Amino acid sequence: MVMITPTNAAVRSLEGLHLYHSARSNCSARVRLLLDEKHLDWTSHALDLLKKENISEEYFGINPKGLVPALVHDGTVIIESNDILVYLDETFPETRFGVAREDDRARLDTWLQKSTDLHIPAIKTFQYFKMNAALLQKTPAEEDLYWKLQKDPDLRAFHGKHSGGKTFTSDDAAAAVELLNGVFAEIDQALVGNEWMMGDDYSLADISWGPSMTTLLSGGFDFSTFPHVERWYDALCQRPEFDKAVIQWRKQANWEKLLKKQG
């Protein structure tokens, strides 16, 4: 679990739950979803990624990768969205979305790890190729600041693909689609005869993967070969918490409309 000591001293005195997040971020959405499913009180610190509000010394002083989300709980900072899910589930156990059996815990951990591992090479790459790179272009000054602040090698490599006038290629997208088809084939198989990814019980696995599907749908990813995944996602969309935490937040930032204007 990634707990850090923030260099931004201002957040160390924060009391309660504070979430630094963005409307369109699927990683942010999964944390909002769990907070709402648990009916926890939390303070929103929404960052506008189009305005590059995450690219600042102040925010890198909270999350040294400059990514959303970041959770601050009584001055303690937890980054990496799936780690935040586990932290919240263990710290506020009144309503649990983990699993009890040892073999089920290992399976849940695997789903969460896949979600983490595939974020940059698959989900993020697909979305940047389809729409995000066109909307999140940086000015020379913003690029200079980003390279000054960003120390993570994976993120430097990723963002280097759309800096200085470069962009993601069809080969990048094809590799991402291959990874996504592989994992959603696994999810589809796991859902055969089951309502949720872990069986009969709605769990952190569903909370982690559901918002990712929302994001991929906005980029036009084809789920037609995964009928069980489509049925599962329909069930997710019926949950009031999912609508509030995922769908309604995305509607506030209508990137599709902005992309159409640019096109």
Side-chain angles (χ1 to χ4, degrees):
M1 184 173 298
V2 184
M3 288 182 163
I4 64 171
T5 301
T7 58
N8 183 339
V11 301
R12 297 178 199 165
S13 61
L14 292 179
E15 296 182 354
L17 291 167
H18 293 254
L19 183 66
Y20 292 79
H21 64 114
S22 177
R24 293 280 302 199
S25 158
N26 63 290
C27 295
S28 295
R30 63 173 61 114
V31 177
R32 290 195 302 263
L33 179 55
L34 183 59
L35 287 165
D36 288 350
E37 292 281 8
K38 284 180 168 288
H39 305 292
L40 296 172
D41 292 327
W42 57 284
T43 300
S44 170
H45 301 265
L47 303 179
D48 188 335
L49 301 186
L50 294 178
K51 296 179 180 178
K52 315 301 189 301
E53 290 180 347
N54 60 313
I55 304 177
S56 69
E57 292 187 3
E58 290 76 16
Y59 186 66
F60 269 78
I62 300 170
N63 185 337
K65 293 185 178 183
L67 297 174
V68 287
L71 181 77
V72 183
H73 181 210
D74 292 337
T76 297
V77 178
I78 305 97
I79 62 173
E80 304 298 345
S81 60
N82 287 303
D83 284 351
I84 295 172
L85 295 187
V86 174
Y87 174 83
L88 288 171
D89 206 51
E90 293 176 350
T91 305
F92 301 95
E94 293 79 6
T95 304
R96 294 297 296 267
F97 295 94
V99 289
R101 292 172 47 196
E102 188 67 33
D103 57 340
D104 286 342
R105 285 201 296 273
R107 192 155 53 95
L108 174 59
D109 288 345
T110 297
W111 283 127
L112 295 180
Q113 191 60 52
K114 284 179 183 288
S115 174
T116 298
D117 292 345
L118 289 176
H119 179 65
I120 291 178
I123 299 167
K124 197 175 181 79
T125 295
F126 179 83
Q127 282 302 107
Y128 265 72
F129 176 77
K130 287 292 186 176
M131 61 188 302
N132 289 13
L135 290 170
L136 295 173
Q137 295 178 22
K138 301 180 184 70
T139 66
E142 288 168 343
E143 284 203 0
D144 288 346
L145 179 58
Y146 185 78
W147 296 126
K148 172 187 173 184
L149 295 171
Q150 184 58 262
K151 306 303 181 186
D152 182 83
D154 292 335
L155 288 168
R156 288 180 67 90
F158 178 86
H159 287 287
K161 290 188 174 184
H162 74 107
S163 67
K166 299 190 295 293
T167 189
F168 289 86
T169 67
S170 56
D171 287 343
D172 293 326
V177 168
E178 184 176 0
L179 290 170
L180 291 167
N181 280 332
V183 73
F184 280 107
E186 291 182 55
I187 295 174
D188 202 66
Q189 185 59 40
L191 289 166
V192 174
N194 293 316
E195 184 176 4
W196 303 109
M197 287 177 62
M198 293 296 298
D200 294 332
D201 296 326
Y202 176 71
S203 75
L204 295 181
D206 307 291
I207 290 169
S208 178
W209 277 98
S212 294
M213 186 166 173
T214 306
T215 291
L216 291 168
L217 283 167
S218 74
F221 187 82
D222 182 10
F223 285 96
S224 63
T225 57
F226 308 116
H228 302 290
V229 169
E230 290 186 317
R231 181 262 305 160
W232 162 79
Y233 185 70
D234 286 343
L236 275 173
C237 289
Q238 298 306 308
R239 297 182 73 87
E241 294 83 3
F242 192 87
D243 181 68
K244 176 185 175 185
V246 184
I247 305 300
Q248 294 307 315
W249 271 97
R250 289 182 68 87
K251 285 182 178 179
Q252 294 179 32
N254 191 346
W255 287 17
E256 290 82 1
K257 183 177 179 180
L258 293 172
L259 190 63
K260 188 176 292 186
K261 283 183 177 180
Q262 287 191 3

